[in-house]
Amino acid sequence: MKHCLPKHVIVTFKESDTPREPLAQTNRLKVVKFESPRKRSALRAETGKMAESGSESRADVTANHASESGEADLRSVLVTSVLNLDKLDTDLYRGSHHWVPRTKRLFGGQIVGQALVAAANSVSDDLYAHSLHCYFVRAGDPKVPVLYQVERTRDGRSFCVRSVKAIQHGQPILICQASFHTRQPSPLEHQFSMPSVPPPDALLTIEELIQRYLSDPNLADNTRQGLNKILADEVPIEIKPVNPPDFYRRVAMEPKKLFWVRARGHIGPGDMKLHCCVAAYVSDYSFLGTALLPHPKHRAQFSASLDHAMWFHSTFRADEWMLYECESPWSGGSRGLVQGRLWRQDGVLAASCAQEGVIRVKSSPRSQL
């Protein structure tokens, strides 16, 4: 997916004037894990300045994740940057960007995850996200931050609903409804069975697979360039495909794929609200592309998510490997429908997802190997 953001009155805020009321205090990190050494050095410098000033300018749903060993925590960039919003006023937040896809539009998972963070900041600690439904209404501009405006739609005894608008240039780019509830045990429980697949330790990451392709001396220059661009992406999640993709897309495949996925870096047990926000970010990655697998003679000229829905079933940790089972039951009319399930390693169904997107294609010539 890719895009979306904020609305209404355009107001400027000075950083020094911003209200700072974090829902949960976070430990200062001394080291944050980035894939890029340049960005890692920059963040260390920024973190040092924050420590010197003692200022608290972020509001998020993170809980304490102190390292028991007393050593510096290698924290996930999804926690320290992507999902760590600035609180500008009551129910008004600002989000920044970490990774921007090559489409030069904002990653849809980022907007969904940040919208859920904003919504979660407005509910009590005993309420947990159980579902969200989002519409992407405009492409997100990576050159400017996103404002998140939360409306407290309803507060009930066991459920509450929040509406969030992600706004850029005075217009909404995403409209999100998120529902939270108190945990209620029930004897009515069932789930599908998790697919039988090799464990993550037995598989290679996307980066390792690409290095294998690049070691082929007969690899076409255009293919080599494309693979190197993928390697250069600083995506804050790790992926291990169960059935490695055919980067050349030479044969039609069933519209299904399985891959292990987790956030890069450490998050810790923490708050389930935070893990749900990270999972919302992760759930959009490489999701819509499932609808292209049966059509190797075409490549996407333009693709964009139209909506995204997610249901959270069980507790989980987004920084531990989960199996993402994706399938596309239908495509047509320049649209594709995809559905997904996130499984914990112990076979428990953690979350389910669904998305429809625009896919406009053109015929593509075969790669020269």
Side-chain angles (χ1 to χ4, degrees):
M1 236 169 138
K2 300 159 176 102
H3 16 284
C4 307
L5 299 129
K7 146 193 178 180
H8 299 142
V9 183
I10 301 178
V11 185
T12 58
F13 296 88
K14 292 182 180 178
E15 185 69 21
S16 58
D17 296 334
T18 346
R20 293 171 177 125
E21 304 170 9
L23 214 153
Q25 296 294 327
T26 59
N27 291 317
R28 286 289 168 205
L29 319 204
K30 297 180 181 177
V31 181
V32 176
K33 182 177 179 181
F34 280 87
E35 293 307 299
S36 162
R38 176 176 54 82
K39 287 197 173 184
R40 184 162 56 241
S41 298
L43 189 68
R44 279 176 178 156
E46 179 184 345
T47 306
K49 292 177 182 177
M50 292 174 66
E52 290 175 7
S53 64
S55 63
E56 187 67 54
S57 62
R58 310 292 274 184
D60 58 39
V61 297
T62 37
N64 292 326
H65 305 301
S67 172
E68 293 180 1
S69 65
E71 297 177 357
D73 229 356
L74 292 178
R75 294 285 293 282
S76 171
V77 68
L78 285 172
V79 176
T80 61
S81 176
V82 180
L83 299 178
N84 197 8
L85 306 182
D86 290 309
K87 185 178 176 101
L88 304 179
D89 204 339
T90 302
D91 295 335
L92 183 64
Y93 300 87
R94 177 177 57 209
S96 57
H97 322 310
H98 170 68
W99 169 69
V100 177
R102 278 169 283 150
T103 59
K104 303 305 179 185
R105 303 191 302 270
L106 286 181
F107 174 50
Q110 171 192 305
I111 312 307
V112 174
Q114 290 181 340
L116 187 56
V117 169
N121 275 322
S122 70
V123 303
S124 60
D125 291 342
D126 62 337
L127 290 167
Y128 300 89
H130 72 87
S131 70
L132 61 86
H133 300 264
C134 304
Y135 278 97
F136 297 93
V137 294
R138 289 179 179 84
D141 182 354
K143 299 184 184 67
V144 298
V146 181
L147 295 181
Y148 293 91
Q149 189 175 66
V150 181
E151 177 185 331
R152 305 190 182 207
T153 308
R154 180 180 185 271
D155 285 307
R157 285 178 294 185
S158 56
F159 286 85
C160 72
V161 177
R162 296 292 183 262
S163 302
V164 183
K165 285 185 179 179
I167 304 163
Q168 281 186 321
H169 304 296
Q171 294 182 311
I173 60 171
L174 174 101
I175 299 171
C176 177
Q177 297 271 340
S179 183
F180 300 80
H181 77 134
T182 56
R183 288 177 179 156
Q184 301 173 3
S186 170
L188 302 179
E189 292 186 352
H190 75 272
Q191 66 166 57
F192 284 171
S193 296
M194 177 180 172
S196 179
V197 300
D201 291 346
L203 300 171
L204 299 177
T205 65
I206 284 287
E207 292 81 6
E208 291 168 335
L209 288 168
I210 290 176
Q211 291 292 357
R212 283 194 172 187
Y213 278 101
L214 292 174
S215 65
D216 181 359
N218 298 318
L219 192 66
D221 288 342
N222 62 336
T223 303
R224 188 179 299 277
Q225 291 174 5
L227 293 176
N228 278 317
K229 286 180 180 179
I230 296 175
L231 281 180
D233 285 345
E234 296 174 352
V235 185
I237 58 178
E238 294 180 89
I239 289 176
K240 290 189 173 186
V242 172
N243 297 310
D246 177 7
F247 288 104
Y248 310 117
R249 296 192 61 229
R250 293 167 292 190
V251 296
M253 299 176 64
E254 192 176 8
K256 294 182 179 181
K257 58 183 173 183
L258 294 159
F259 55 90
W260 292 98
V261 61
R262 68 179 178 186
R264 292 189 189 275
H266 177 73
I267 298 176
D271 188 341
M272 258 311 295
K273 290 178 184 174
L274 174 62
H275 286 284
C276 287
C277 295
V278 174
Y281 181 102
V282 168
S283 68
D284 187 43
Y285 188 78
S286 191
F287 197 23
L288 189 57
T290 311
L292 282 168
L293 294 178
H295 311 287
K297 294 183 180 180
H298 299 85
R299 63 187 180 93
Q301 188 171 16
F302 174 83
S303 65
S305 304
L306 294 172
D307 56 20
H308 192 85
M310 196 164 186
W311 299 264
F312 303 100
H313 309 307
S314 305
T315 59
F316 59 88
R317 280 184 58 172
D319 58 347
E320 294 183 344
W321 289 112
M322 290 192 290
L323 180 68
Y324 200 6
E325 178 187 9
C326 305
E327 58 187 4
S328 175
W330 173 88
S331 67
S334 294
R335 304 191 318 278
L337 176 67
V338 288
Q339 299 169 339
R341 288 182 282 272
L342 277 167
W343 300 91
R344 293 187 338 204
Q345 288 194 62
D346 60 1
V348 172
L349 182 60
S352 301
C353 317
Q355 181 182 115
E356 188 180 46
V358 174
I359 305 177
R360 298 191 180 112
V361 301
K362 64 179 180 180
S363 298
S364 59
R366 289 183 179 273
S367 296
Q368 300 298 315
L369 304 183

PDB file of all heavy atoms in Angstrom, residues 58-69:
ATOM      1  N   ARG A  58       7.270  13.884  22.980  1.00  0.00           N
ATOM      2  CA  ARG A  58       6.548  12.870  22.251  1.00  0.00           C
ATOM      3  C   ARG A  58       5.460  12.264  23.120  1.00  0.00           C
ATOM      4  O   ARG A  58       5.603  12.137  24.320  1.00  0.00           O
ATOM      5  CB  ARG A  58       7.495  11.745  21.798  1.00  0.00           C
ATOM      6  CG  ARG A  58       8.740  12.217  21.096  1.00  0.00           C
ATOM      7  CD  ARG A  58       8.469  12.822  19.761  1.00  0.00           C
ATOM      8  NE  ARG A  58       8.412  11.822  18.720  1.00  0.00           N
ATOM      9  CZ  ARG A  58       8.262  12.121  17.447  1.00  0.00           C
ATOM     10  NH1 ARG A  58       8.149  13.355  17.063  1.00  0.00           N
ATOM     11  NH2 ARG A  58       8.208  11.169  16.552  1.00  0.00           N
ATOM     12  N   ALA A  59       4.362  11.866  22.462  1.00  0.00           N
ATOM     13  CA  ALA A  59       3.285  11.165  23.160  1.00  0.00           C
ATOM     14  C   ALA A  59       3.020   9.880  22.412  1.00  0.00           C
ATOM     15  O   ALA A  59       2.812   9.895  21.215  1.00  0.00           O
ATOM     16  CB  ALA A  59       2.026  12.028  23.177  1.00  0.00           C
ATOM     17  N   ASP A  60       3.060   8.732  23.107  1.00  0.00           N
ATOM     18  CA  ASP A  60       2.800   7.468  22.432  1.00  0.00           C
ATOM     19  C   ASP A  60       2.269   6.458  23.428  1.00  0.00           C
ATOM     20  O   ASP A  60       2.076   6.761  24.600  1.00  0.00           O
ATOM     21  CB  ASP A  60       4.049   6.942  21.706  1.00  0.00           C
ATOM     22  CG  ASP A  60       5.222   6.756  22.645  1.00  0.00           C
ATOM     23  OD1 ASP A  60       5.008   6.304  23.787  1.00  0.00           O
ATOM     24  OD2 ASP A  60       6.346   7.068  22.234  1.00  0.00           O
ATOM     25  N   VAL A  61       1.998   5.236  22.926  1.00  0.00           N
ATOM     26  CA  VAL A  61       1.409   4.205  23.782  1.00  0.00           C
ATOM     27  C   VAL A  61       2.449   3.210  24.242  1.00  0.00           C
ATOM     28  O   VAL A  61       2.128   2.133  24.695  1.00  0.00           O
ATOM     29  CB  VAL A  61       0.282   3.465  23.020  1.00  0.00           C
ATOM     30  CG1 VAL A  61      -0.828   4.425  22.682  1.00  0.00           C
ATOM     31  CG2 VAL A  61       0.807   2.782  21.763  1.00  0.00           C
ATOM     32  N   THR A  62       3.736   3.543  24.130  1.00  0.00           N
ATOM     33  CA  THR A  62       4.762   2.615  24.560  1.00  0.00           C
ATOM     34  C   THR A  62       4.860   2.521  26.063  1.00  0.00           C
ATOM     35  O   THR A  62       4.731   3.503  26.761  1.00  0.00           O
ATOM     36  CB  THR A  62       6.149   3.018  24.017  1.00  0.00           C
ATOM     37  OG1 THR A  62       6.259   4.411  24.033  1.00  0.00           O
ATOM     38  CG2 THR A  62       6.371   2.489  22.644  1.00  0.00           C
ATOM     39  N   ALA A  63       5.137   1.324  26.546  1.00  0.00           N
ATOM     40  CA  ALA A  63       5.369   1.101  27.970  1.00  0.00           C
ATOM     41  C   ALA A  63       6.866   0.988  28.200  1.00  0.00           C
ATOM     42  O   ALA A  63       7.659   1.082  27.268  1.00  0.00           O
ATOM     43  CB  ALA A  63       4.664  -0.171  28.418  1.00  0.00           C
ATOM     44  N   ASN A  64       7.269   0.795  29.448  1.00  0.00           N
ATOM     45  CA  ASN A  64       8.687   0.679  29.757  1.00  0.00           C
ATOM     46  C   ASN A  64       9.271  -0.588  29.160  1.00  0.00           C
ATOM     47  O   ASN A  64       8.702  -1.650  29.257  1.00  0.00           O
ATOM     48  CB  ASN A  64       8.892   0.640  31.272  1.00  0.00           C
ATOM     49  CG  ASN A  64       8.552   1.971  31.909  1.00  0.00           C
ATOM     50  OD1 ASN A  64       8.771   3.010  31.296  1.00  0.00           O
ATOM     51  ND2 ASN A  64       7.999   1.940  33.104  1.00  0.00           N
ATOM     52  N   HIS A  65      10.428  -0.440  28.511  1.00  0.00           N
ATOM     53  CA  HIS A  65      11.109  -1.603  27.949  1.00  0.00           C
ATOM     54  C   HIS A  65      12.568  -1.568  28.358  1.00  0.00           C
ATOM     55  O   HIS A  65      13.459  -1.705  27.529  1.00  0.00           O
ATOM     56  CB  HIS A  65      11.011  -1.619  26.422  1.00  0.00           C
ATOM     57  CG  HIS A  65       9.608  -1.555  25.922  1.00  0.00           C
ATOM     58  ND1 HIS A  65       8.669  -2.493  26.238  1.00  0.00           N
ATOM     59  CD2 HIS A  65       8.995  -0.648  25.141  1.00  0.00           C
ATOM     60  CE1 HIS A  65       7.523  -2.173  25.654  1.00  0.00           C
ATOM     61  NE2 HIS A  65       7.699  -1.054  24.988  1.00  0.00           N
ATOM     62  N   ALA A  66      12.870  -1.359  29.605  1.00  0.00           N
ATOM     63  CA  ALA A  66      14.268  -1.263  30.038  1.00  0.00           C
ATOM     64  C   ALA A  66      14.961  -2.602  29.873  1.00  0.00           C
ATOM     65  O   ALA A  66      14.392  -3.649  30.119  1.00  0.00           O
ATOM     66  CB  ALA A  66      14.339  -0.818  31.486  1.00  0.00           C
ATOM     67  N   SER A  67      16.208  -2.568  29.478  1.00  0.00           N
ATOM     68  CA  SER A  67      16.981  -3.797  29.344  1.00  0.00           C
ATOM     69  C   SER A  67      17.386  -4.297  30.715  1.00  0.00           C
ATOM     70  O   SER A  67      17.959  -3.567  31.505  1.00  0.00           O
ATOM     71  CB  SER A  67      18.227  -3.527  28.492  1.00  0.00           C
ATOM     72  OG  SER A  67      19.073  -4.640  28.487  1.00  0.00           O
ATOM     73  N   GLU A  68      17.046  -5.556  31.007  1.00  0.00           N
ATOM     74  CA  GLU A  68      17.359  -6.118  32.317  1.00  0.00           C
ATOM     75  C   GLU A  68      18.862  -6.193  32.546  1.00  0.00           C
ATOM     76  O   GLU A  68      19.335  -6.163  33.671  1.00  0.00           O
ATOM     77  CB  GLU A  68      16.738  -7.508  32.443  1.00  0.00           C
ATOM     78  CG  GLU A  68      15.208  -7.467  32.456  1.00  0.00           C
ATOM     79  CD  GLU A  68      14.611  -8.848  32.592  1.00  0.00           C
ATOM     80  OE1 GLU A  68      15.404  -9.825  32.694  1.00  0.00           O
ATOM     81  OE2 GLU A  68      13.394  -8.976  32.593  1.00  0.00           O
ATOM     82  N   SER A  69      19.633  -6.307  31.482  1.00  0.00           N
ATOM     83  CA  SER A  69      21.078  -6.422  31.620  1.00  0.00           C
ATOM     84  C   SER A  69      21.729  -5.085  31.914  1.00  0.00           C
ATOM     85  O   SER A  69      22.896  -5.019  32.228  1.00  0.00           O
ATOM     86  CB  SER A  69      21.680  -6.995  30.331  1.00  0.00           C
ATOM     87  OG  SER A  69      21.475  -6.090  29.264  1.00  0.00           O
TER      88      SER A  69
END
